[in-house]
Amino acid sequence: MWSPLNASGDQQGCTRRDDGGVTLPEGFAEAYQAYVEGGWNGIGVSQELGGQGLPEVVASSVQEMLHGANMALGLCPMLTAGAIEALAHHGSAELKETYLPKLVEGTWTGTMNLTEPQAGSDLSKVRTRAVPCDDGSDRYRLFGQKIFITWGEHDASDNIIHLVLARKPDAPEGNKGISLFLVPKFLVNADGSPGERNDVVCASIEHKLGIHGSPTCTLSFGEGEGAIGYLVGEEGRGLNHMFTMMNEARHKVGVQGIGVAERACQHAFAYALDRVQGKARGSESTISEHLDVRRMLLSMRARTDALRALALYCAAQLDVARHAEDGAEREAAQARIDVLIPVVKAFSTDQAVDIASLGVQVHGGMGFIEETGAAQLLRDVRIAPIYEGTNGIQALDLAGRKLSRDGGAALAALLDEVEATARELQSNDTLVAQGESLADGAADLRAAMATLLEASRDPQTGADAVQAYATPFLSLTGHVLCAWQMGRAALKASAALAGGSDDPFYQAKLLAADYALRQWLPVGRAQRSVIEAGMESLANFSVTS
């Protein structure tokens, strides 16, 4: 039901009505309701909160399929999941009782309201005001404007719950003055039903490169007496509370990119198997028989498989961090999550853009024509490296905050496992070359990490060094960790084939792993040379008009 609406939703887009509401593309509201009625919205939510309590590995796998089917529509439950997470961790008992059941069901949806015209990545500049009501209640009236609010207004649910960053009048400047508030589209009656319309309206919707079926709104709070809101968590700790949403949302954005990459793969494979052009081995053939086209297809397939494996490994670590009985085990899993999430978000989405671009290339001239659908996938996924913190910010998080706080210990522990897999590959007579390549990649990453850590300690140039090296360092990390996952897959596939299996899945997995380890990983390894080349050219480059 979702996939057939992908193209029509892109073509129709969303429409802002005169009353400030937004009409979704035809069929979107019904498709979302079918999703809710099927119980899908709460699959990854704990049973205590009314969800199914399934592992994050399962929830992430389902999410990938949803985004592959229809990324624009898939954004709605993705934002709701973040709102659930923030309320579950930081909301008062009353807020949880009032709002969580409907959010978990999916009959109400959630949003994140961070960005303002003057406050993009630098949220310390947030100006939206939250004024305490003078009626003796714990309510606030919010005044301000938020931009780029995904699914900020729509007609698919009974209510929309906005989580909004704002400042009290007496709050200090900077990050410490920001608090988090819950602002419902409709105020909630005593019986839990939606009541009076709150003072928050959609001022406009954005006209975007892609995801046309997703309403990206400018929301205006307090055009009248002020939008009624409720403090979530501690005053002045809004950014900390919002990052509860954002960290997991960043993992979900990585999975989202993988979903679109998978669809691009399937789209390109189907076209290549059908399109007759030229001759291969002396006879007329489909383009799938040409080695250069196979190069593109294998590159798309191997990278998508590798990205998925790393994202699901991260999801498994999320499950351990939440549910393991042993405290040390939970702590170790969380340390890995902290390293992995910026990689999953940034590396997966950068690669997904390139994979979707290759999908256009496989289609040739037809890929540049909208009717084939290949162009839409590229347009849609292009937003993923930008939102939830640009990929440059993810790289700075990894190379700066995450490495500096433990001296690289968490990443080094992951590299211990990478090297163990390399040794296991080298002990397998059919996988020696793959093991050697993985070992070389791990050595490059260790060396680059040492270079980065040493450079970051310089009191004069350390901050600049992190800025200069962060993106190539994240790219190298992503290549090595994804190759590690494909090495693990190769070992499983090799064992199955040696045991007598004739399943073509295992043979295909071996070929994809070989490509990832011996043809894709070397591209990433070049980032060590980029880092070791230094930052002189960047430091001396003068930007002029």
Side-chain angles (χ1 to χ4, degrees):
M1 189 173 186
W2 283 34
S3 184
L5 297 173
N6 196 45
S8 61
D10 178 64
Q11 292 158 10
Q12 292 175 21
C14 301
T15 305
R16 181 186 177 277
R17 304 189 302 270
D18 291 340
D19 63 359
V22 172
T23 300
L24 295 170
E26 189 175 322
F28 267 47
E30 293 80 4
Y32 177 73
Q33 288 303 318
Y35 162 86
V36 170
E37 290 166 7
W40 292 100
N41 198 62
I43 61 171
V45 182
S46 69
Q47 291 178 307
E48 290 80 6
L49 296 178
Q52 297 183 36
L54 294 176
E56 186 61 37
V57 170
V58 175
S60 294
S61 298
V62 171
Q63 184 203 358
E64 183 199 319
M65 290 186 281
L66 293 173
H67 284 291
N70 192 322
M71 179 177 165
L73 182 52
L75 280 163
C76 179
M78 190 177 91
L79 269 295
T80 302
I84 292 168
E85 195 71 24
L87 269 184
H89 279 85
H90 306 296
S92 66
E94 183 179 359
L95 287 178
K96 291 178 184 178
E97 182 180 354
T98 302
Y99 294 98
L100 275 178
K102 297 291 188 181
L103 286 169
V104 172
E105 287 174 7
T107 49
W108 295 355
T109 62
T111 71
M112 295 167 56
N113 287 247
L114 293 81
T115 307
E116 299 178 7
Q118 78 294 337
S121 299
D122 184 2
L123 293 171
S124 68
K125 298 185 182 299
V126 162
R127 295 176 186 162
T128 298
R129 295 181 297 122
V131 180
C133 290
D134 55 8
D135 57 3
S137 71
D138 60 353
R139 304 189 306 172
Y140 293 78
R141 294 188 182 274
L142 273 72
F143 301 87
Q145 187 180 85
K146 297 289 183 177
I147 62 173
F148 303 155
I149 308 306
T150 302
W151 282 78
E153 173 60 35
H154 59 84
D155 54 3
S157 67
D158 297 335
N159 206 351
I160 304 172
I161 311 305
H162 305 293
L163 292 182
V164 185
L165 292 181
R167 297 179 187 277
K168 289 180 62 178
D170 58 351
E173 292 297 316
N175 291 337
K176 292 183 179 179
I178 300 173
S179 298
L180 181 62
F181 296 88
L182 183 153
V183 181
K185 173 182 175 180
F186 293 102
L187 301 178
V188 179
N189 295 321
D191 63 359
S193 63
E196 178 187 352
R197 177 69 189 257
N198 206 354
D199 188 8
V200 52
V201 297
C202 173
S204 65
I205 55 176
E206 302 297 342
H207 302 281
K208 310 182 295 292
L209 176 68
I211 53 170
H212 296 152
S214 171
T216 304
C217 302
T218 295
L219 294 183
S220 182
F221 296 84
E223 290 194 352
E225 296 183 354
I228 298 296
Y230 306 86
L231 180 67
V232 177
E234 298 178 46
E235 184 179 323
R237 290 182 57 81
L239 274 182
N240 305 72
H241 300 336
M242 188 65 91
F243 271 104
T244 301
M245 296 175 68
M246 290 190 70
N247 277 331
E248 300 215 7
R250 286 169 172 174
H251 179 264
K252 289 177 170 61
V253 170
V255 172
Q256 177 185 73
I258 296 163
V260 179
E262 175 61 36
R263 181 160 186 165
C265 281
Q266 294 185 21
H267 212 62
F269 272 66
Y271 184 81
L273 287 166
D274 182 68
R275 173 66 164 165
V276 176
Q277 196 84 166
K279 293 183 178 181
R281 301 174 184 87
S283 60
E284 191 174 57
S285 65
T286 61
I287 61 172
S288 62
E289 294 298 313
H290 298 293
L291 267 283
D292 187 59
V293 175
R294 287 190 178 188
R295 173 191 60 81
M296 292 188 283
L297 295 174
L298 182 54
S299 173
M300 295 171 73
R301 169 49 57 212
R303 288 189 284 164
T304 301
D305 286 0
L307 295 167
R308 176 184 297 114
L310 187 64
L312 292 181
Y313 175 82
C314 183
Q317 295 300 306
L318 284 164
D319 287 324
V320 173
R322 291 169 183 167
H323 305 299
E325 294 182 2
D326 181 74
E329 190 178 359
R330 290 197 305 273
E331 187 176 332
Q334 188 60 54
R336 292 186 175 200
I337 292 163
D338 291 343
V339 168
L340 287 168
I341 280 182
V343 179
V344 170
K345 193 280 181 184
F347 191 65
S348 297
T349 56
D350 279 343
Q351 291 292 317
V353 170
D354 193 55
I355 289 166
S357 181
L358 265 186
V360 172
Q361 190 71 18
V362 169
H363 283 74
M366 294 304 295
F368 208 65
I369 305 301
E370 288 290 351
E371 284 79 359
T372 64
Q376 183 192 342
L377 299 177
L378 177 57
R379 288 189 290 102
D380 283 353
V381 81
R382 188 58 189 83
I383 185 59
I386 297 173
Y387 57 25
E388 300 301 343
T390 64
N391 285 359
I393 289 174
Q394 305 305 313
L396 289 170
D397 179 44
L398 174 66
R401 194 156 58 105
K402 298 298 171 57
L403 283 192
S404 64
R405 72 182 185 186
D406 67 357
L411 181 55
L414 275 171
L415 282 173
D416 289 343
E417 293 200 30
V418 174
E419 289 162 346
T421 298
R423 290 191 294 272
E424 196 173 350
L425 288 164
Q426 289 172 299
S427 68
N428 184 313
D429 290 342
T430 64
L431 298 172
V432 174
Q434 291 85 342
E436 291 173 348
S437 182
L438 183 58
D440 289 341
D444 285 336
L445 183 51
R446 280 198 190 275
M449 180 166 62
T451 299
L452 178 57
L453 285 169
E454 181 180 0
S456 69
R457 296 186 187 108
D458 188 300
Q460 273 75 47
T461 62
D464 285 345
V466 172
Q467 287 263 353
Y469 304 148
T471 291
F473 182 76
L474 186 142
S475 178
L476 174 57
T477 304
H479 277 92
V480 171
L481 295 182
C482 281
W484 168 44
Q485 292 300 310
M486 293 304 280
R488 296 176 68 198
L491 290 166
K492 295 289 186 183
S494 177
L497 292 169
S501 173
D502 59 356
D503 189 337
F505 169 83
Y506 292 117
Q507 188 60 48
K509 186 64 71 175
L510 274 180
L511 293 172
D514 181 67
Y515 181 91
L517 285 157
R518 297 205 294 154
Q519 297 187 53
W520 183 42
L521 176 56
V523 175
R525 288 181 58 200
Q527 298 303 310
R528 174 183 174 180
S529 297
V530 173
I531 294 168
E532 291 176 346
M535 62 176 180
E536 183 178 355
S537 58
L538 287 177
N540 293 325
F541 177 62
S542 178
V543 180
T544 57
S545 59

